[in-house]
Amino acid sequence: RFPFMEGEIPDEPRPTQVALAMQSSQTTVLIAQGVAGLLSAQISRAFGRKGALLLFTVGGGFMFVLAGYSGEFARGRVGGMYIYLGCRALMGLFAGCQPVVQSFIADIWETSEPAVKAKKNMMIVMPILAAVALGPIMATFLAPLGDNLFLPLYVGGAFEFLGGVLVLTQIPAVRST
């Protein structure tokens, strides 16, 4: 039980409640990412690297949207904050794809001709760098646009789905090593 939140998302939260809820939300995501990182090798072996990356991106998209919706659904309900934190934990599980991405980069580097190595690796690296840089910037600009604090989660979900489309159409299938 989180005594500072009393298990629900109040209609008019105090600033300390918002700050603590945001911090516990991010901590939940980071812990889940760590767990997913440990499981990513097994997921990659089961689905292949491209399949694992697709699972992580599309699953992440669904979890972003569900986390955004859970904030609205859970507002004012007893236990609502726990629903939101559960969705954020699931979101973190789908965000733990860095080992798969690193393996992808290594596979492409090993199997590509020297003239195209950099170009092929940038196909994977650039979207990741853009997500790391643009995600927080966009959230900073989107949050004040309305009274929906969860709007950045919906936008994040849209970008995860876009990432899934890019995985399907742009990322080459490589032999797992």
Side-chain angles (χ1 to χ4, degrees), residues 50 53-59 61 157-171:
K50 185 172 181 171
L53 200 53
L54 184 62
L55 174 70
F56 281 122
T57 55
V58 174
F159 276 100
E160 285 280 342
F161 288 126
L162 176 62
V165 169
L166 291 174
V167 167
L168 277 175
T169 60
Q170 301 297 313
I171 301 295

Side-chain angles (χ1 to χ4, degrees), residues 31-121:
I31 290 170
Q33 275 181 317
V35 171
L38 295 172
L39 299 174
S40 65
Q42 289 82 6
I43 294 169
S44 183
R45 276 195 286 280
F47 298 104
R49 299 222 201 288
K50 185 172 181 171
L53 200 53
L54 184 62
L55 174 70
F56 281 122
T57 55
V58 174
F62 280 115
M63 287 303 109
F64 265 96
V65 172
L66 191 58
Y69 177 71
S70 74
E72 295 301 315
F73 168 77
R75 188 182 305 271
R77 294 176 190 247
V78 174
M81 194 64 201
Y82 304 118
I83 295 169
Y84 172 69
L85 289 176
C87 288
R88 291 285 287 173
L90 289 171
M91 196 169 90
L93 285 175
F94 285 106
C97 66
Q98 285 304 329
V100 175
V101 171
Q102 296 302 323
S103 296
F104 233 126
I105 292 169
D107 289 346
I108 288 175
W109 192 259
E110 291 294 320
T111 60
S112 296
E113 296 295 322
V116 295
K117 280 184 180 185
K119 180 181 177 184
K120 284 188 173 185
N121 277 311

Side-chain angles (χ1 to χ4, degrees), residues 10-28:
D11 288 328
E12 296 294 327
R14 296 186 304 273
T16 54
Q17 287 175 312
V18 171
L20 290 169
M22 289 176 72
Q23 187 58 47
S24 61
S25 169
Q26 188 59 28
T27 301
T28 301

Side-chain angles (χ1 to χ4, degrees), residues 118-144:
K119 180 181 177 184
K120 284 188 173 185
N121 277 311
M122 293 312 287
M123 286 174 51
I124 295 172
V125 173
M126 286 309 293
I128 294 166
L129 293 176
V132 169
L134 293 177
I137 292 169
M138 288 178 24
T140 302
F141 287 109
L142 287 173

